[in-house]
Amino acid sequence: MDSNAHNSKHAIIFGASGVTGWAFVNEMLHDYPSPGTWGRVTAMTNRPLSLKDSMWPADERLNIVSGVDLLEDSQEQLDMTIKKAVPNVETVTHCYYLAFKAGKDMMQEFRDAEAMFRRSVTSIDRLSPELVFVVLQTGAKMYGCHLLENHYLEPPLTETLPRLKQPYHDQLFYHPQLDWLADYAKDKNWTWCETRPDIIIGFVPNNNFYSLGTMIGIFLALFMEVNGKGAECSFPGSMKSWRAKSNDSSSDMIARQTIHLSLRPESCGNGNAYNVADHPDYETWETKWPQLCSYFDLHGVSPHPSEPLEVRSYISKNLPQWKKMEQQYGLKKGVADSDLTYQGFEYFLLTQFDFDRQYDMSKLYNTGFQEKRSIMESWGLVFDRMREAKIIP
């Protein structure tokens, strides 16, 4: 580990209430990788989030800062807003950018993503002379996985693959983010890296635009309530998706791996990109689904050829039953049918992601990171937290 890794540090996490951001804050407050590493943790959230609702531990090192609009006003005014809102911002050593403003207007989403990132990093760079490391989280879109039938890069997907060809290159906002960061960081005393998870599995205390773990947890809890323990639950996707190879990226492991990288600025900075995932070996839904169903006392089986299940339509059809469950078990209301969730994303991920896209994880593990997690070590923890948060019974 680099020599300064055990000095007390101040982390700022943009997008802290999102599916990955939540885990970063949680891991730091639980002293990952070791006690004394983190002296301050600033959690930047767009929507208000109380400590009680966050399910983070009560810790004097934590500051939750809500309501700073990263797109509002001039750069200088944003600098002033952050300076007023963030105690001891001048001591920030590590900046983790995980924020994302989802939208249905793709061009607006593109412009917002580029501007939010540029403005956030500029502010922290200007306000903190102690800055050591910046992380930008991108994802499997760097490999064109979102192109579905038009994807063309062959797995295993490795960080050395070239950028997407046109016209796809200019449609992906990660590219201008990365190009700006590479240029901006040239003459700085700090360094940076990029991390690339696939579909992120994690817990969110607030509703989230995309959270597959949340919706599958609700779907399976509802299915068990409707059909009883031991019922057969067919995979709510396609047979091609059932057999497609991929690596799960749980938010806890993304956080741990990213923190590990960011505490090694000399060896892991310099604009390096890293795949991040739970395990170097790929999985399929064929191996995962029976394990997920077993958590809910269900028997998971392959997709039904003539009567396929679909997560969103099943929840909608049985919403009256879910409302009864909210009352019966004292569950948090409005999660299953939240307006904040992008309707139908589950179909997209479980049916249309039907091709092999497994990662080459050797670069990350060659940095000295050793931990690996099984399917239920990752998914089971998400479901446990959902129960604790009264999202599922």
Side-chain angles (χ1 to χ4, degrees):
M1 185 176 285
D2 292 351
S3 59
N4 70 341
H6 283 296
N7 297 338
S8 187
K9 305 179 188 313
H10 181 176
I12 188 167
I13 300 98
F14 288 92
S17 62
V19 69
T20 41
W22 184 90
F24 274 72
V25 176
N26 196 56
E27 289 292 343
M28 290 170 182
L29 295 180
H30 283 93
D31 291 322
Y32 184 84
S34 60
T37 302
W38 304 105
R40 283 184 176 273
V41 180
T42 298
M44 303 291 290
T45 72
N46 181 30
R47 288 177 283 134
L49 180 65
S50 69
L51 179 63
K52 181 172 182 271
D53 287 342
S54 76
M55 290 184 59
W56 291 318
D59 192 312
E60 63 182 9
R61 295 173 295 170
L62 173 64
N63 280 297
I64 302 173
V65 179
S66 301
V68 174
D69 190 334
L70 300 175
L71 293 169
E72 195 173 53
D73 300 325
S74 67
Q75 180 68 58
E76 289 69 28
Q77 287 169 308
L78 178 62
D79 296 350
M80 290 297 295
T81 300
I82 290 177
K83 186 174 182 178
K84 287 179 184 175
V86 177
N88 301 96
V89 68
E90 71 279 0
T91 67
V92 167
T93 56
H94 289 71
C95 174
Y96 302 91
Y97 189 84
L98 314 164
F100 174 60
K101 185 182 179 183
K104 296 177 183 177
D105 180 338
M106 291 298 105
M107 286 309 298
Q108 190 61 48
E109 184 179 270
F110 185 104
R111 288 189 294 269
D112 288 348
E114 188 278 328
M116 286 168 61
F117 175 65
R118 172 172 41 81
R119 287 160 57 87
S120 301
V121 173
T122 299
S123 284
I124 299 306
D125 172 56
R126 289 179 176 181
L127 295 169
S128 180
E130 300 297 317
L131 188 61
V132 173
F133 208 97
V134 172
V135 173
L136 172 63
Q137 179 176 284
T138 62
K141 287 183 179 181
M142 291 296 290
Y143 303 121
C145 292
H146 60 301
L147 303 176
L148 305 180
E149 68 273 8
N150 294 319
H151 80 97
Y152 61 90
L153 293 173
E154 291 297 320
L157 301 173
T158 180
E159 299 92 339
T160 56
L161 286 167
R163 282 189 175 186
L164 297 180
K165 63 187 179 183
Q166 297 292 9
Y168 309 123
H169 179 282
D170 289 352
Q171 296 166 0
L172 184 59
F173 59 73
Y174 295 147
H175 294 140
Q177 287 178 328
L178 289 163
D179 290 343
W180 175 82
L181 183 57
D183 184 63
Y184 186 74
K186 275 179 185 172
D187 303 320
K188 303 297 182 182
N189 293 325
W190 47 267
T191 189
W192 65 281
C193 79
E194 169 205 355
T195 55
R196 300 177 179 178
D198 192 2
I199 296 169
I200 299 166
I201 309 304
F203 167 79
V204 280
N206 279 350
N207 292 326
N208 189 265
F209 209 63
Y210 308 106
S211 178
L212 188 62
T214 300
M215 297 319 297
I216 284 185
I218 288 171
F219 167 78
L220 289 173
L222 177 59
F223 192 93
M224 195 277 283
E225 192 75 15
V226 171
N227 297 280
K229 291 184 179 182
E232 275 198 357
C233 182
S234 59
F235 174 65
S238 65
M239 186 58 78
K240 283 181 72 177
S241 294
W242 177 249
R243 293 180 174 143
K245 300 168 185 172
S246 66
N247 300 72
D248 275 353
S249 299
S250 71
S251 58
D252 288 11
M253 280 289 275
I254 296 168
R256 288 186 169 218
Q257 289 168 344
T258 306
I259 291 167
H260 165 89
L261 295 169
S262 69
L263 294 177
R264 290 159 175 77
E266 292 164 18
S267 54
C268 299
N270 307 307
N272 269 292
Y274 295 90
N275 291 338
V276 286
D278 289 349
H279 202 284
D281 298 334
Y282 66 79
E283 293 275 358
T284 66
W285 282 111
E286 188 171 10
T287 58
K288 290 189 292 188
W289 188 247
Q291 297 179 64
L292 271 55
C293 288
S294 180
Y295 182 97
F296 295 89
D297 296 312
L298 296 167
H299 180 52
V301 296
S302 60
H304 198 289
S306 58
E307 298 176 18
L309 280 173
E310 195 273 308
V311 169
R312 178 59 47 186
S313 59
Y314 188 87
I315 292 172
S316 298
K317 176 185 171 187
N318 292 282
L319 199 56
Q321 180 65 40
W322 183 262
K323 298 293 185 186
K324 289 180 186 173
M325 291 168 65
E326 288 178 342
Q327 293 290 336
Q328 182 179 350
Y329 301 111
L331 304 181
K332 188 181 286 187
K333 291 182 168 54
V335 180
D337 57 339
S338 170
D339 292 338
L340 295 171
T341 301
Y342 183 58
Q343 302 292 314
F345 84 94
E346 311 92 349
Y347 175 82
F348 179 78
L349 296 180
L350 298 175
T351 300
Q352 295 181 289
F353 267 49
D354 60 0
F355 49 89
D356 291 343
R357 58 183 194 281
Q358 68 269 30
Y359 276 2
D360 179 340
M361 290 296 296
S362 56
K363 185 176 180 180
L364 183 282
Y365 280 96
N366 284 340
T367 68
F369 188 86
Q370 297 180 330
E371 186 180 354
K372 301 167 185 175
R373 288 197 182 178
S374 68
I375 293 303
M376 289 316 294
E377 282 175 325
S378 295
W379 284 85
L381 192 54
V382 173
F383 297 149
D384 288 347
R385 287 171 178 160
M386 288 176 68
R387 279 184 168 164
E388 189 181 348
K390 291 290 187 179
I391 295 171
I392 58 174

